[in-house]
């Protein structure tokens, strides 16, 4: 299956529209739509921006769901004698694999967020 087809299915968008959006830009000028094709660099930047945005939103959604699931006020099984924690382990050198997994992405993203918090 073509990657664009898989991505369109996952995002629940029209495959042709997604493919067009990845390689062109449409602007409204003087009441007319003007479409121009992106250069290879621009198309790669668009692809990378979309991927980063999807991952960022997914990470934020996941953290929100975890926060809700671990909120003592919302958890009917909450036991005040039990401390709930979530740990993230980063293994040095894991990033140099030829193919990184989604788990590694989550770890790297969490580290970046933590670095942003602590470097303010």
């Amino acid at each position: 299956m073509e990657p664009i087809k898989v991505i369109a299915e996952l995002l629940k968008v029209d495959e042709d529209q997604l493919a067009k959006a990845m390689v062109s830009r449409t602007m409204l000028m003087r009441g007319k739509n003007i479409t121009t094709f992106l250069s290879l660099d621009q198309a790669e930047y668009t692809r990378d921006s979309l991927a980063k945005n999807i991952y960022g939103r997914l990470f934020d959604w996941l953290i929100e769901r975890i926060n809700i699931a671990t909120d003592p006020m919302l958890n009917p099984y909450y036991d005040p004698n039990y401390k709930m924690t979530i740990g993230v382990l980063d293994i040095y050198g894991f990033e140099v694999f030829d193919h990184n997994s989604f788990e590694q992405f989550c770890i790297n993203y969490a580290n970046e967020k933590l670095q942003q918090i602590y470097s303010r």
Side-chain angles (χ1 to χ4, degrees):
M1 191 182 277
E2 291 291 318
I4 196 79
K5 183 176 182 78
V6 173
I7 294 165
E9 273 185 34
L10 290 171
L11 295 176
K12 308 252 188 269
V13 298
D14 181 73
E15 180 183 349
D16 293 332
Q17 287 182 340
L18 177 61
K20 184 179 176 185
M22 299 300 288
V23 298
S24 66
R25 168 178 60 226
T26 302
M27 296 177 287
L28 183 63
M29 298 180 80
R30 297 184 182 173
K32 293 184 180 179
N33 284 330
I34 307 295
T35 300
T36 57
F37 288 99
L38 303 176
S39 69
L40 178 60
D41 287 341
Q42 291 170 324
E44 287 174 345
Y45 181 82
T46 299
R47 176 203 60 206
D48 294 348
S49 296
L50 177 62
K52 289 175 186 177
N53 187 279
I54 291 169
Y55 281 126
R57 287 172 179 246
L58 178 60
F59 186 83
D60 291 343
W61 175 85
L62 182 62
I63 296 304
E64 180 182 353
R65 299 302 304 163
I66 291 170
N67 287 339
I68 290 169
T70 57
D71 186 335
M73 302 307 289
L74 301 175
N75 187 340
Y77 305 105
Y78 174 69
D79 179 354
N81 299 317
Y82 179 74
K83 183 178 179 184
M84 290 188 285
T85 62
I86 296 175
V88 177
L89 173 65
D90 189 9
I91 302 169
Y92 175 76
F94 193 75
E95 296 84 0
V96 297
F97 288 157
D98 289 335
H99 178 75
N100 284 336
S101 66
F102 179 71
E103 291 83 2
Q104 182 59 38
F105 170 79
C106 288
I107 291 167
N108 291 347
Y109 191 85
N111 286 343
E112 290 295 325
K113 289 291 189 182
L114 288 171
Q115 183 177 358
Q116 288 174 4
I117 290 169
Y118 291 114
S119 64
R120 287 182 187 177

